[in-house]
Coordinates of all heavy atoms in Angstrom, one line a residue:
Chain A
S99 N -127.8 -4.9 139.6 CA -128.4 -3.6 139.1 C -127.4 -2.5 139.3 O -126.6 -2.6 140.3 CB -129.8 -3.3 139.7 OG -129.6 -3.0 141.1
V100 N -127.6 -1.4 138.5 CA -126.8 -0.2 138.7 C -127.8 1.0 138.7 O -128.7 1.0 137.8 CB -125.8 -0.1 137.5 CG1 -125.1 1.2 137.7 CG2 -124.8 -1.2 137.7
T101 N -127.6 1.9 139.6 CA -128.5 3.0 139.7 C -127.7 4.3 139.5 O -126.7 4.4 140.3 CB -129.3 3.1 141.0 OG1 -130.0 1.9 141.1 CG2 -130.3 4.2 141.1
Q102 N -128.1 5.1 138.6 CA -127.3 6.4 138.4 C -128.3 7.6 138.6 O -129.5 7.4 138.5 CB -126.8 6.5 137.0 CG -125.7 5.6 136.6 CD -125.3 5.8 135.1 OE1 -125.4 4.9 134.3 NE2 -124.9 7.1 134.8
M103 N -127.7 8.7 138.9 CA -128.5 10.0 139.1 C -129.1 10.3 137.8 O -128.5 10.0 136.7 CB -127.6 11.1 139.6 CG -126.5 11.5 138.8 SD -125.4 12.6 139.6 CE -126.4 14.0 139.9
I117 N -121.1 12.6 139.5 CA -122.3 11.8 139.0 C -122.3 10.5 139.9 O -121.4 9.7 139.9 CB -122.1 11.3 137.5 CG1 -122.0 12.5 136.6 CG2 -123.3 10.4 137.0 CD1 -121.8 12.2 135.1
N118 N -123.4 10.4 140.6 CA -123.5 9.3 141.5 C -123.9 8.0 140.8 O -124.7 7.9 139.9 CB -124.6 9.6 142.6 CG -124.2 10.8 143.5 OD1 -123.0 11.0 143.7 ND2 -125.1 11.4 144.1
C119 N -123.3 6.9 141.4 CA -123.6 5.6 140.9 C -123.6 4.7 142.2 O -122.6 4.6 142.9 CB -122.6 5.1 139.9 SG -122.7 3.4 139.5
T120 N -124.6 3.8 142.3 CA -124.6 2.8 143.3 C -125.1 1.5 142.7 O -125.7 1.5 141.5 CB -125.6 3.1 144.4 OG1 -127.0 3.3 143.9 CG2 -125.2 4.3 145.2
Y121 N -124.7 0.4 143.3 CA -124.9 -0.9 142.7 C -125.4 -1.9 143.6 O -125.2 -1.8 144.8 CB -123.6 -1.4 142.0 CG -122.5 -1.7 142.9 CD1 -122.4 -3.0 143.5 CD2 -121.6 -0.7 143.3 CE1 -121.4 -3.3 144.4 CE2 -120.6 -1.1 144.2 CZ -120.5 -2.3 144.7 OH -119.5 -2.6 145.7
T122 N -126.0 -2.9 143.1 CA -126.3 -4.2 143.9 C -125.7 -5.3 143.0 O -125.9 -5.4 141.8 CB -127.7 -4.5 144.1 OG1 -128.4 -4.5 142.9 CG2 -128.3 -3.3 145.0
A123 N -125.0 -6.2 143.7 CA -124.4 -7.4 143.0 C -124.4 -8.6 143.9 O -124.2 -8.5 145.2 CB -123.0 -7.1 142.6
L129 N -116.1 -2.6 138.5 CA -116.9 -1.5 138.2 C -116.3 -0.6 137.1 O -115.0 -0.6 137.1 CB -117.1 -0.7 139.5 CG -117.7 -1.3 140.7 CD1 -117.7 -0.5 142.0 CD2 -119.2 -1.8 140.3
W131 N -116.9 2.9 134.3 CA -117.5 4.0 133.8 C -117.2 4.1 132.2 O -116.1 4.0 131.9 CB -117.1 5.4 134.4 CG -117.8 5.7 135.7 CD1 -117.3 5.5 136.9 CD2 -119.2 6.2 135.8 NE1 -118.3 5.9 137.9 CE2 -119.4 6.3 137.2 CE3 -120.2 6.6 134.9 CZ2 -120.6 6.8 137.7 CZ3 -121.2 7.2 135.4 CH2 -121.5 7.3 136.7
R163 N -116.2 1.9 146.4 CA -116.6 1.9 147.9 C -117.5 0.8 148.2 O -118.8 0.8 147.9 CB -117.3 3.2 148.3 CG -116.5 4.5 148.0 CD -115.4 4.6 149.0 NE -114.8 5.9 148.8 CZ -113.6 6.2 149.3 NH1 -112.8 5.2 149.9 NH2 -113.0 7.4 149.2
T166 N -120.4 1.3 150.9 CA -121.6 2.1 150.5 C -122.1 1.6 149.1 O -123.1 2.1 148.5 CB -121.3 3.6 150.4 OG1 -120.2 3.8 149.5 CG2 -121.1 4.1 151.8
T167 N -121.5 0.5 148.6 CA -121.8 0.0 147.2 C -121.9 1.1 146.2 O -122.9 1.3 145.4 CB -123.1 -0.9 147.2 OG1 -124.2 -0.1 147.7 CG2 -122.9 -2.1 148.2
S168 N -120.9 2.0 146.1 CA -120.9 3.1 145.3 C -119.7 3.3 144.4 O -118.5 2.7 144.7 CB -121.1 4.4 146.1 OG -120.0 4.7 146.9
F169 N -119.8 4.0 143.3 CA -118.7 4.2 142.4 C -118.9 5.5 141.7 O -119.1 5.7 140.5 CB -118.6 3.1 141.4 CG -117.3 3.0 140.6 CD1 -116.0 3.0 141.2 CD2 -117.3 2.9 139.3 CE1 -114.9 2.9 140.5 CE2 -116.2 2.8 138.5 CZ -115.0 2.8 139.1
H170 N -118.9 6.6 142.5 CA -119.3 7.9 142.0 C -118.2 8.5 141.1 O -117.0 8.5 141.4 CB -119.5 8.9 143.2 CG -120.6 8.4 144.1 ND1 -121.7 7.8 143.8 CD2 -120.6 8.5 145.5 CE1 -122.5 7.5 144.9 NE2 -121.8 7.9 145.9
C186 N -122.5 4.1 134.2 CA -121.9 3.3 135.2 C -122.2 1.8 134.9 O -123.3 1.5 134.5 CB -122.3 3.7 136.5 SG -121.5 2.9 137.9
A187 N -121.3 0.9 135.1 CA -121.5 -0.5 134.7 C -120.7 -1.4 135.7 O -119.8 -1.0 136.3 CB -121.2 -0.8 133.3
L188 N -121.2 -2.6 135.8 CA -120.6 -3.6 136.6 C -120.5 -4.9 135.9 O -121.3 -5.2 135.0 CB -121.2 -3.8 138.0 CG -122.6 -4.5 138.1 CD1 -122.5 -6.0 138.2 CD2 -123.3 -4.0 139.4
G201 N -126.1 1.1 134.1 CA -127.1 2.1 134.5 C -127.8 2.7 133.3 O -127.4 2.4 132.2

Side-chain angles (χ1 to χ4, degrees):
Chain A
S99 68
V100 175
T101 303
Q102 291 180 236
M103 60 191 297
I117 300 178
N118 290 337
C119 171
T120 57
Y121 67 90
T122 58
L129 302 174
W131 277 100
R163 300 288 188 200
T166 55
T167 61
S168 65
F169 193 54
H170 304 322
C186 186
L188 69 83

